[in-house]
Amino acid sequence: MNFENKVVVITGGTRGIGLETARSFLKMKAKVVIFGSKEESVNKALSTLKEEGYEALGYYPNLNDYEEVNETIKKIYDKWQRIDILINNAGISANKKIEETTEEDFKNIMDLNVKAIFNTSKAVVPYMKKANRGVILNTSSMVSIYGQPSGVGYPASKFAVNGITKSLARELAPFNIRVNAVAPGIIKTDMVASLKEEMIAPLINKIPLGRIGEPSDIANAFLFLASDMASYITGVILQVDGAAYN
Ligand code: NAD
């Protein structure tokens, strides 16, 4: 696989799945731009990549502010005259019971996990249409298939991610823009480390492949879906979860 000269924008690229995805595209010679929530975390990720011998760019637009996102995407386009691949990966999770979940909690999840995807996608689509090619990939979750026992905002947001994926796939297919999602199972990142042990252990025991997923398992799925090997695949939610819960 070779992504030489391709420009890839990855939200939530500062750690976990996003950082590993950035690393994977850099290995394949892509030009990678990571988005994070803060200057500090973006700089930390860029220096980690630099120590490994990779050069990337980083920004920290407020993903909820369309104008800010649009300006940042324009800067990237102006630099390279192309945006080939957008990976909407930034996300937060939740596990509180409904009585303990505030309206603000629910709104925060929807703002980042759903509205931000709308904003970034809206900003890149004109450039992809102009090029008559492009790939938009979203990070969904296995909870978008099965739901989860508490933290209702999170699965609600990921069902919405699947809705955006399937709908944009149909809307943008005539412009040779493919839109797919990867639905990770339980992946070894900070997001999972923040969950209580008693919540994770029984889940791992139920995974038929017998292990927790690695960020590289998800990055590999993104590489495939972004590549020409997937040129006839659009509107798909690819489960990468070791058959958890099937
Ligand atoms: P993580 O917490 O390690 O990383 C989250 C990323 O999102 C970070 O780069 C962070 O900067 C960014 N982010 C968080 N809040 C932000 C904000 N307000 N504005 C901009 N960026 C923000 O998480 P991860 O496990 O790597 O998760 C990445 C994606 O994978 C998420 O969409 C998550 O829902 C999904 N996912 C993860 C798992 C898992 O088991 N880890 C499972 C299913 C789905």
Side-chain angles (χ1 to χ4, degrees):
M1 238 178 259
N2 189 334
F3 288 93
E4 199 156 7
N5 297 321
K6 296 267 168 88
V7 175
V8 187
V9 176
I10 305 170
T11 73
T14 59
R15 56 174 197 255
I17 291 169
L19 180 59
E20 184 58 28
T21 302
R23 189 178 278 123
S24 301
F25 276 94
L26 286 162
K27 264 184 213 164
M28 300 294 163
K29 303 203 179 333
K31 294 182 165 66
V32 172
V33 185
I34 58 168
F35 284 5
S37 54
K38 294 190 289 278
E39 182 176 15
E40 193 189 350
S41 53
V42 168
N43 287 341
K44 188 173 165 227
L46 292 178
S47 50
T48 301
L49 292 170
K50 198 165 191 168
E51 277 163 26
E52 297 170 15
Y54 302 116
E55 283 293 338
L57 274 189
Y59 295 98
Y60 41 97
N62 176 358
L63 295 180
N64 262 293
D65 181 333
Y66 171 71
E67 289 309 325
E68 227 180 274
V69 169
N70 197 33
E71 271 170 34
T72 311
I73 292 290
K74 185 174 180 305
K75 267 187 218 159
I76 298 164
Y77 183 82
D78 288 346
K79 183 172 171 59
W80 285 305
Q81 304 299 306
R82 59 193 297 165
I83 294 179
D84 299 278
I85 300 157
L86 166 67
I87 304 186
N88 288 306
N89 168 74
I92 45 173
S93 69
N95 58 12
K96 285 193 252 175
K97 298 279 179 218
I98 192 162
E99 303 94 310
E100 291 146 22
T101 303
T102 63
E103 282 177 287
E104 198 188 352
D105 292 335
F106 191 83
K107 181 179 180 300
N108 287 343
I109 288 219
M110 289 297 171
D111 278 353
L112 183 64
N113 295 12
V114 184
K115 189 181 161 205
I117 295 187
F118 167 78
N119 285 342
T120 49
S121 303
K122 184 174 158 73
V124 300
V125 158
Y127 301 117
M128 290 184 175
K129 277 191 176 174
K130 200 170 156 196
N132 197 40
R133 65 175 293 149
V135 176
I136 299 175
L137 300 174
N138 300 321
T139 308
S140 182
S141 167
M142 70 175 181
V143 306
S144 76
I145 318 286
Y146 314 112
Q148 70 179 15
S150 64
V152 70
Y154 185 58
S157 73
K158 295 300 188 178
F159 273 77
V161 170
N162 294 1
I164 292 175
T165 304
K166 285 171 182 276
S167 303
L168 274 186
R170 295 176 69 173
E171 179 176 332
L172 299 175
F175 306 95
N176 195 27
I177 301 168
R178 296 185 297 104
V179 187
N180 291 296
V182 174
I186 304 170
I187 309 299
K188 212 185 279 171
T189 67
D190 292 354
M191 181 178 275
V192 165
S194 73
L195 297 177
K196 292 187 188 97
E197 178 64 25
E198 58 266 33
M199 195 163 168
I200 306 171
L203 300 177
I204 296 175
N205 292 339
K206 281 189 203 147
I207 300 171
L209 278 182
R211 67 170 175 90
I212 193 167
E214 296 293 333
S216 59
D217 291 315
I218 307 307
N220 287 338
F222 280 136
L223 283 176
F224 166 67
L225 287 172
S227 77
D228 288 343
M229 279 197 274
S231 63
Y232 200 52
I233 301 177
T234 196
V236 155
I237 315 300
L238 178 62
Q239 287 173 243
V240 182
D241 61 6
Y245 275 87
N246 279 339

